[in-house]
């Protein structure tokens, strides 16, 4: 794999920590006491690091589950055609569900997932994203818990990839592609 240097930092490791703590506190305060555990659902693979950090900042009982999607048909250009590659383990009917994404870009992926999840009749459905790119939005999404807005640049790190690499960076940066 060809590797590239990071051109600039968009969200430093310290900022990541502060954002995740704030989101955890907001989510904890919002739900208060639930009858059953909160179901926190992460969209793989991008959300895996954010999920791991976020759930440790949520101070109410919860369970986690994951959904794997592919938003690209055979090509490399987003078709907006989202397919479920690996579905949830459990039913979300009558449950309080929090969907967790790494980034909302055009909003196509999250838009489809939200609709798909609503059809399964959860008791409540809220959405949380770590990064938000408002300038790229094509599909309107109500984000209940938002980490940070970033400019319309290709971000890597903290779960986000370029050709599957760079996910492990503890901060979010932009690649210098020459
Ligand atoms: P959408 O355009 O909002 O549907 O975003 C689809 C998916 O593309 C996201 O869940 C990410 O996995 C990926 N994506 C969007 N923008 C970026 C980026 O800047 N860096 C890495 N992945 C991205
Ligand atoms: Mg993703």
């Amino acid at each position: 794999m060809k590797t590239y240097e990071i051109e600039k930092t968009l969200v430093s490791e310290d900022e990541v920590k502060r954002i995740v703590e704030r989101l955890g506190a907001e989510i904890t305060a919002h739900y208060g006491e639930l009858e059953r555990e909160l179901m926190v659902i992460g969209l793989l693979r991008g959300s895996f690091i954010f999920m791991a950090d976020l759930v440790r900042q949520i101070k109410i009982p919860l369970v986690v589950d994951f959904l794997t999607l592919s938003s690209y048909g055979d090509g490399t250009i987003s078709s907006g055609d989202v397919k479920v590659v690996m579905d949830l383990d459990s039913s979300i009917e009558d449950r309080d569900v929090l969907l967790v994404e790494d980034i909302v870009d055009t909003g196509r992926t999250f838009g489809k997932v939200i609709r798909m999840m609503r059809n399964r009749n959860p008791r409540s459905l809220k959405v949380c994203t770590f990064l938000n790119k408002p300038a790229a939005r094509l599909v309107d999404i109500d984000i209940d818990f938002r980490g940070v807005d970033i400019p319309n640049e290709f971000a890597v790190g903290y779960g986000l990839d370029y050709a599957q690499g760079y996910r492990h960076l503890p901060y979010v940066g932009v690649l210098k592609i020459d």
Side-chain angles (χ1 to χ4, degrees), residues 43-46 101-103:
L43 271 52
L44 292 176
R45 281 169 249 184
E101 247 294 35
D102 51 352
I103 184 166

Side-chain angles (χ1 to χ4, degrees), residues 10 43-47 71-72 78 80 82 101-111 131 133 136-138 141 150-157 159-162 167 173:
L10 287 177
L43 271 52
L44 292 176
R45 281 169 249 184
S47 74
S71 51
Y72 305 122
S78 178
V82 176
E101 247 294 35
D102 51 352
I103 184 166
V104 182
D105 186 31
T106 64
R108 281 193 177 121
T109 311
F110 223 8
L131 300 176
K133 267 196 222 173
R137 195 71 89 255
L138 295 174
I141 309 270
I150 59 165
N152 199 3
E153 293 180 280
F154 195 79
V156 294
L160 290 108
D161 73 301
Y162 173 70
R167 292 193 195 271

Side-chain angles (χ1 to χ4, degrees), residues 79-142:
S79 56
D81 186 18
V82 176
K83 289 189 183 68
V84 175
V85 174
M86 186 190 73
D87 207 341
L88 300 172
D89 225 20
S90 38
S91 164
I92 63 169
E93 195 171 347
D94 288 327
R95 301 295 302 263
D96 294 288
V97 172
L98 177 65
L99 282 175
V100 176
E101 247 294 35
D102 51 352
I103 184 166
V104 182
D105 186 31
T106 64
R108 281 193 177 121
T109 311
F110 223 8
K112 293 239 165 120
V113 175
I114 290 166
R115 226 175 310 140
M116 196 189 294
M117 291 297 122
R118 278 223 179 93
N119 287 338
R120 297 183 185 188
N121 301 315
R123 180 169 178 267
S124 70
L125 183 65
K126 297 277 174 191
V127 304
C128 174
T129 185
F130 180 65
L131 300 176
N132 181 42
K133 267 196 222 173
R137 195 71 89 255
L138 295 174
V139 174
D140 205 28
I141 309 270
D142 273 332

